[in-house]
Amino acid sequence: MDISPEKQNIDELFGTTAYYIDFYQRDYKWTEEPVRRLLDDIFYAFDVAYEANKSLDPSPEAVATKYPWYYLNTYVTNTIDGRVYVVDGQQRLTTLTLILINLRHRAEAEKSKLKGWLNSKIAGQAGYQTQFWMNHERHVATLQALFDGKDIPADTGVTADNMVDNYSAISAFLGSRLTDLHKMEIFVFYFLKRLVLINLSVEQTDVPMVFEVINDRGVRLRPYEILKGKLLGQIDKFELDSGKFNEKWESCVERVNHHGTDEIDEFFVYYLKAKFADSRKIGQRFDNDYHREMFKSDIKKALKLEHNPTRVKAFINGEFSYYSRLYDRMLSLADDGNPGYEAVYYNSLNEMDSQYLLILSSCIVDDPEEDLKVQLISYHVDRLFSLLRLQRSYDSNEFSEAVFEISIGIREKPAADIAAIFEDKLIELLSRRRGTEVANGFDYGQFRHTSITDIPARFTRYLFARVDRFIAVETNSGEKHPFGDLVTKTGAVNGFHIEHILSHNKENINIYEGDDERFEAERNRLGAVLLLKGRDNISSNNEIYKHKIKSYAKTLHWNESLREDSYKSKKDFEAFISNRKLKFEPYATFGPVELESRQSLLFEVASHIWDSPGEALSGATG
């Protein structure tokens, strides 16, 4: 490896060399805080020297003898085909350019002869065009507008936005510190002559290693940014440009990061677990520095991405392009539950992000069965999670292990294999929990006593949201409230809360022979609760049943089915009950018999919502 260090002041740094932004580098992401910290550091040393030497006239000689030098850090470059690329340090170099532009405007306003010198440190002339030494090729228009003091052009990305914002911060800072011509000119000499950087010029083959080490020592880049350097650094510069591999990479990243800052790191973790982890423990290796794990012997052998530019190009054009697009699609579906893909949204509400891992596992590049697999897997994740919850058999650790076992079974397999693999896992988990072999994935004996003390409040709200949507769809009557509100809104006024049909009062306790413990256990069963909006819940609090039932009118379909008037002249509701063979009926009173009936009815409704495996696709799309 060959590294050539060179000490430079800013006068030597800028003036003859155009610095291009290498693909390794991020956007210009410095915000006001690091910019102000840099200015504070520079002025701390300058102000001390200025106070002691303010009587001196501005000159390079005076500054050189009376002002100490100040070290601004190291930057790394790599020269290819005559172009000098900044591998590390563009945040600092770009900020220095913005400071120079502001100093140039101040010199112009003060009619200082230093304006021309400052001009030459910002840009040179290439024909009719201005050539900025810090050459942000995609953002030249923004730099030109700042240089000319004209209106900023339309946004060209985060780099341009930060340039504009930071320039304003720099202008305000310098305006408060350089209060007269003398101090401003002394500072220009100090800035150009006494601020020092070290340039490390490295060979192309060493860039990925140097890049990673430098960033490990300082403010670390995200894993995906380092991975980009490791991969794209293998591709010849000409092929990199002609094949637009940097643009392709950035397109994939932007597509995913649109959903959240650095979401692309989450994508890589899910992708690597989906394709290469056969257990939860193995999968955990990717949770942190996955970009390093990808180059360890076992994964390196499978991915073949080290010292293999042909494979890197194929990976970007193939796996990265397809799977990042699929991940983007899943995140979009998780936000709104498009028709046919509601289960992706349901899983998102229940924080069942394992669906992403399993869908990535099942799909092959450009999978012709992608739509079907997304529907089936999201449906079965929801079904597995919900039936385990409803039968008091859910254990988070067991479920997490099961996800990886399912992943192995469905990895790049046909859609036809998916339902059986999930069903086998459901039966296995239920059997393990009960300590005996079971044959049925949903059994009333295990559901009969399930109560709100057995499942989280959010899942209880989710259950009744699903029940209400099921009734609304089956009766062509429309949903009473937005589905997501039923699950997620919990505010005192507009939120939805779990309501006990049996209030805690003496009359109701007497129904259970005064046995308070038995009464509490019974009133918490799922058949004895429902959802009510905040004010409705408050208004019905502690009432006896015959009064409480009045507040259930015009609430949710499930609630209204307790009332006799919900059955009068309701042809669609009658047809629904008949077709589905469901024992809906109104109750004038509510005690042990009615509660048992209601629990049984809820089981039957849930059985229709989470169909048997053979009916899975209709359940996914209906």
Side-chain angles (χ1 to χ4, degrees):
M1 180 179 73
D2 183 21
I3 295 181
S4 304
E6 179 186 2
K7 176 183 173 183
Q8 299 172 322
N9 59 29
I10 294 177
D11 185 39
E12 295 164 329
L13 169 67
F14 293 127
T16 58
T17 302
Y19 298 96
Y20 292 83
I21 308 303
D22 208 329
F23 50 82
Y24 293 93
Q25 287 282 271
R26 295 172 286 185
D27 288 315
Y28 176 54
K29 289 188 175 181
W30 268 19
T31 56
E32 182 175 347
E33 181 182 352
V35 169
R36 189 174 184 88
R37 189 163 58 245
L38 174 64
L39 288 167
D40 283 336
D41 289 345
I42 292 170
F43 270 85
Y44 176 78
F46 171 75
D47 284 341
V48 171
Y50 184 75
E51 285 302 311
N53 300 285
K54 64 171 59 175
S55 62
L56 296 176
D57 291 333
S59 72
E61 294 77 19
V63 169
T65 57
K66 298 296 184 180
Y67 285 74
W69 66 277
Y70 187 83
Y71 174 56
L72 283 178
N73 216 320
T74 300
Y75 71 101
V76 181
T77 58
N78 157 239
T79 302
I80 300 175
D81 296 333
R83 280 191 171 191
V84 178
Y85 291 88
V86 178
V87 174
D88 184 80
Q90 71 116 329
Q91 308 292 322
R92 193 173 302 273
L93 298 190
T94 300
T95 303
L96 294 175
T97 297
L98 296 175
I99 294 171
L100 285 167
I101 291 173
N102 191 260
L103 289 172
R104 181 250 189 200
H105 284 301
R106 294 185 183 282
E108 183 176 41
E110 296 282 356
K111 295 182 171 51
S112 170
K113 294 180 181 180
L114 297 181
K115 173 189 171 183
W117 189 27
L118 289 166
N119 276 343
S120 70
K121 301 297 108 180
I122 300 165
Q125 198 70 21
Y128 293 106
Q129 301 298 317
T130 301
Q131 171 74 66
F132 288 94
W133 303 127
M134 195 59 194
N135 190 21
H136 285 272
E137 292 179 284
R138 291 169 51 201
H139 307 288
V140 168
T142 299
L143 281 172
Q144 190 70 54
L146 292 171
F147 183 81
D148 294 336
K150 295 181 178 179
D151 291 339
I152 305 299
D155 174 34
T156 55
V158 67
T159 290
D161 291 342
N162 286 333
M163 282 180 178
V164 173
D165 291 344
N166 291 342
Y167 182 81
S168 296
I170 289 166
S171 182
F173 186 97
L174 296 182
S176 69
R177 306 297 284 268
L178 304 179
T179 52
D180 56 55
L181 175 62
H182 180 271
K183 189 173 185 180
M184 187 272 291
E185 290 190 331
I186 288 285
F187 180 75
V188 169
F189 285 117
Y190 175 77
F191 186 82
L192 290 172
K193 290 295 188 178
R194 302 304 284 161
L195 300 186
V196 173
L197 300 94
I198 302 296
N199 171 230
L200 294 181
S201 179
V202 301
E203 295 179 357
Q204 172 66 10
T205 54
D206 301 316
V207 168
M209 180 273 293
V210 173
F211 174 76
E212 183 171 0
V213 170
I214 288 172
N215 281 285
D216 279 348
R217 289 208 312 256
V219 178
R220 295 190 66 190
L221 300 182
R222 299 297 304 176
Y224 74 88
E225 294 170 318
I226 297 175
L227 178 62
K228 176 185 178 182
K230 285 186 171 183
L231 298 184
L232 271 64
Q234 299 178 42
I235 304 174
D236 176 79
K237 271 283 198 261
F238 174 78
E239 285 190 276
L240 187 74
D241 293 338
S242 62
K244 298 188 180 300
F245 288 102
N246 183 53
E247 291 81 357
K248 289 174 182 177
W249 180 279
E250 288 302 316
S251 176
C252 293
V253 170
E254 289 170 12
R255 175 189 302 138
V256 173
N257 279 350
H258 170 74
H259 296 279
T261 304
D262 299 326
E263 181 66 34
I264 193 68
D265 277 331
E266 291 297 314
F267 158 76
F268 275 115
V269 171
Y270 282 127
Y271 168 74
L272 292 166
K273 288 181 178 182
K275 299 302 184 183
F276 304 107
D278 290 347
S279 72
R280 184 185 182 191
K281 183 175 182 180
I282 294 173
Q284 288 172 342
R285 67 186 290 194
F286 301 117
D287 284 335
N288 295 308
D289 293 337
Y290 66 80
H291 61 292
R292 289 195 172 100
E293 295 298 320
M294 290 173 68
F295 293 91
K296 290 186 177 176
S297 58
D298 56 336
I299 307 301
K300 179 174 68 175
K301 184 177 180 180
L303 280 171
K304 299 180 175 65
L305 290 173
E306 187 170 57
H307 305 310
N308 191 346
T310 300
R311 170 65 185 130
V312 169
K313 289 181 285 185
F315 176 78
I316 294 170
N317 285 329
E319 292 103 303
F320 190 35
S321 177
Y322 173 73
Y323 288 115
S324 64
R325 189 178 299 111
L326 174 58
Y327 187 68
D328 165 46
R329 182 189 183 195
M330 290 188 288
L331 293 180
S332 297
L333 291 172
D335 286 337
D336 51 29
N338 287 352
Y341 300 91
E342 293 88 349
V344 183
Y345 175 56
Y346 297 153
N347 288 325
S348 176
L349 290 174
N350 282 318
E351 299 179 331
M352 283 288 103
D353 295 343
S354 53
Q355 64 176 335
Y356 306 137
L357 185 157
L358 293 173
I359 290 169
L360 290 171
S361 176
S362 177
C363 287
I364 60 174
V365 173
D366 298 325
D367 200 319
E369 292 189 301
E370 178 185 313
D371 290 350
L372 184 56
K373 287 181 177 180
V374 172
Q375 289 177 326
L376 280 169
I377 293 170
S378 59
Y379 166 76
H380 277 290
V381 169
D382 174 59
R383 181 175 183 269
L384 177 64
F385 173 70
S386 297
L387 295 188
L388 289 172
R389 279 289 191 199
L390 291 174
Q391 296 174 97
R392 298 176 292 172
S393 297
Y394 177 81
D395 176 272
S396 60
N397 289 324
E398 283 185 354
F399 191 90
S400 296
E401 290 291 349
V403 165
F404 286 94
E405 291 162 4
I406 292 169
S407 176
I408 298 169
I410 67 174
R411 186 174 292 154
E412 302 189 354
K413 295 293 178 60
D417 295 352
I418 291 170
I421 291 169
F422 272 92
E423 182 66 9
D424 289 347
K425 186 54 62 178
L426 173 62
I427 296 298
E428 177 189 326
L429 292 174
L430 290 172
S431 299
R432 186 186 306 166
R433 181 61 52 180
R434 297 173 198 173
T436 185
E437 290 294 322
V438 302
N440 191 345
F442 195 28
D443 178 69
Y444 184 64
Q446 298 302 315
F447 175 80
R448 182 176 181 180
H449 294 290
T450 302
S451 76
I452 59 173
T453 63
D454 298 313
I455 57 180
R458 187 183 180 98
F459 182 76
T460 302
R461 293 196 299 273
Y462 170 69
L463 167 65
F464 286 110
R466 289 298 305 271
V467 168
D468 229 65
R469 172 168 281 188
F470 176 70
I471 298 172
V473 171
E474 292 282 324
T475 59
N476 302 306
S477 53
E479 295 181 54
K480 301 283 189 175
H481 296 278
F483 186 91
D485 288 357
L486 297 179
V487 181
T488 62
K489 284 196 173 181
T490 59
V493 176
N494 294 316
F496 291 86
H497 305 272
I498 299 166
E499 154 86 350
H500 288 90
I501 296 175
L502 293 172
S503 297
H504 195 286
N505 55 45
K506 187 174 181 179
E507 181 176 319
N508 286 334
I509 295 174
N510 286 339
I511 297 173
Y512 290 90
E513 301 173 343
D515 187 336
D516 193 74
E517 185 176 341
R518 180 187 170 206
F519 168 70
E520 281 298 326
E522 290 295 301
R523 76 190 287 258
N524 284 330
R525 289 170 68 190
L526 294 178
V529 298
L530 40 78
L531 290 186
L532 277 184
K533 203 169 183 180
R535 284 176 176 155
D536 297 329
N537 186 294
I538 293 169
S539 66
S540 68
N541 189 35
N542 223 33
E543 293 179 329
I544 61 174
Y545 176 73
K546 69 179 182 180
H547 294 149
K548 184 180 286 243
I549 196 173
K550 296 175 183 177
S551 66
Y552 298 162
K554 297 181 180 179
T555 56
L556 296 174
H557 296 294
W558 178 249
N559 308 350
E560 292 174 352
S561 68
L562 290 164
R563 295 168 50 87
E564 188 173 358
D565 57 5
S566 296
Y567 297 80
K568 295 178 180 178
S569 302
K570 301 287 180 68
K571 298 298 183 183
D572 286 337
F573 192 48
E574 291 174 6
F576 160 59
I577 294 171
S578 175
N579 292 338
R580 291 290 190 172
K581 297 180 176 57
L582 294 169
K583 295 178 181 178
F584 275 91
E585 57 183 319
Y587 301 119
T589 60
F590 201 88
V593 174
E594 291 81 7
L595 195 161
E596 183 62 33
S597 176
R598 194 73 169 171
Q599 186 88 0
S600 176
L601 175 61
L602 185 58
F603 171 78
E604 294 299 331
V605 170
S607 297
H608 285 294
I609 292 172
W610 289 285
D611 296 316
S612 65
E615 301 174 78
L617 187 54
S618 65
T621 60

